[in-house]
């Protein structure tokens, strides 16, 4: 059964991922090799937006949290995969945060399905 | 293959549903029999929030639109089901908008999977 | 005194602006002269996000609508000014939508202050 | 001059306030004296939504952060004032988080104006 403590760990991971993705988004837009980062910029925004949505949903105890977290996990993984094609430090940072967040979201999503 | 015209119809449906749900939310909070509307108030907010998210995602051509619209369809259906337990006009209005929106989101979600 | 009809006009303008800004955002990321559009890409996202926020706030009859619409007007104007530095059609389209939306938001913001 | 550390403190305060407001929102909807909490429920949602918006805006280094944080401060204060009319523990918790968040947002908003 889920506890609020488990949610807190996932909320923290989503915040760190939103932060890392938005930092990478802003940093990418300043890079010299901007053209190679087009897809990365798009996915950084997608990932930050779903993380933001998931954070609010967890704090308001959404009855749809299992599905929201599964979607968040999928988008975090896609963002990590795109980030892994690039060598910039802000892209490398994104990979770690996105993968950790995806694992926590997926694990909590599965627990939430059982709990519901 | 999806065209922008098909998106426009779904965007319009999501806007009307967000509008109907938020109107029902505000109206429910003014009702005399407020206590019977607790769950309806929560689902109105959930439905308005995912519709708002889906609208932005469609206008920015999100690569995750299939999954986002499927989630939106599920939440619209849940909101319609809850609204159908109540007799207020604003609840009745919600049912129609939510069901229409759910059908469009689901249909576009399936088309988007094929397209991707 | 404000009526719901006046809100509807402003909601429509915000939706069209969000749509135009997100279309310009996606289109800019595909352009050959991407490097000249860095600031435009950032402001397109800023403008789409505040328009999305304002739309939800209007539909839920937010008590803070005067301040939210003033902020939306300011950001729409900034986005229009940046877009006017570029010659792409999607940038030109943004200018018109943003300026129209800014005027409606500001006018409604001032009416809302009187009304509150 | 603002540093990222100052932003981090404000981001944390916004997250705690969003969390407290959404918890109070959910808890209020379960209360026996629900009817006395109508306005509190509305303001809890308003406050959670602007905090969520402000958090994203800070992490993406929005050029409009001064105005966004001033709006967030105003809404936090309104929510604290409404919460102070009620005796429930979740309302009392809201007051403290909202007041602290309002002070940090306002202070950072004024610093950002100078910095910009």
């Amino acid at each position: 059964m889920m506890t609020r403590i488990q949610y807190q760990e996932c909320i923290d991971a989503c915040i760190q991922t939103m932060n890392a993705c938005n930092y990478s988004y802003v940093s990418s837009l300043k890079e010299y090799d901007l053209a190679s980062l087009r897809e990365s910029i798009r996915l950084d925004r997608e990932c930050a937006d779903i993380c933001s949505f998931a954070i609010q949903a967890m704090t308001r105890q959404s009855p749809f949290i299992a599905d929201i977290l599964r979607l968040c996990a999928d988008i975090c993984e896609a963002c990590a995969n795109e980030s892994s094609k690039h060598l910039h430090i802000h892209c490398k940072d994104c990979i770690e945060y996105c993968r950790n967040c995806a694992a926590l979201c997926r694990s909590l999503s599965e627990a939430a399905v059982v709990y519901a």
Side-chain angles (χ1 to χ4, degrees), chain A:
Chain A
M1 209 181 91
M2 281 191 304
T3 65
R4 287 179 59 80
I5 291 165
Q6 283 177 285
Y7 270 131
Q8 194 53 58
E9 194 183 358
C10 191
I11 290 170
D12 290 345
C14 284
I15 290 163
Q16 288 171 330
T17 303
M18 177 177 69
N19 205 353
C21 287
N22 272 332
Y23 182 72
S24 186
Y25 167 88
V26 171
S27 302
S28 293
L29 282 172
K30 292 177 184 162
E31 292 288 355
Y32 181 76
D33 60 337
L34 179 60
S36 71
L37 293 163
R38 297 168 199 263
E39 191 62 15
S40 195
I41 290 166
R42 272 187 86 196
L43 290 187
D44 284 339
R45 180 183 176 189
E46 292 288 330
C47 196
D49 282 2
I50 190 65
C51 282
S52 174
F53 190 82
I55 295 163
Q56 263 253 55
M58 281 186 274
T59 64
R60 71 172 182 262
Q61 300 172 31
S62 168
F64 308 104
I65 202 64
D67 290 330
I68 293 168
L69 292 182
R70 193 168 52 241
L71 177 59
C72 191
D74 290 345
I75 297 178
C76 284
E77 280 164 15
C79 187
N81 290 342
E82 177 60 33
S83 296
S84 70
K85 298 175 190 166
H86 306 286
L87 295 171
H88 305 86
I89 289 172
H90 52 82
C91 295
K92 293 295 171 206
D93 283 346
C94 256
I95 304 173
E96 191 182 357
Y97 285 115
C98 287
R99 293 235 163 104
N100 175 52
C101 188
L104 276 168
C105 286
R106 202 167 299 284
S107 145
L108 208 49
S109 171
E110 286 159 12
V113 171
V114 173
Y115 174 69

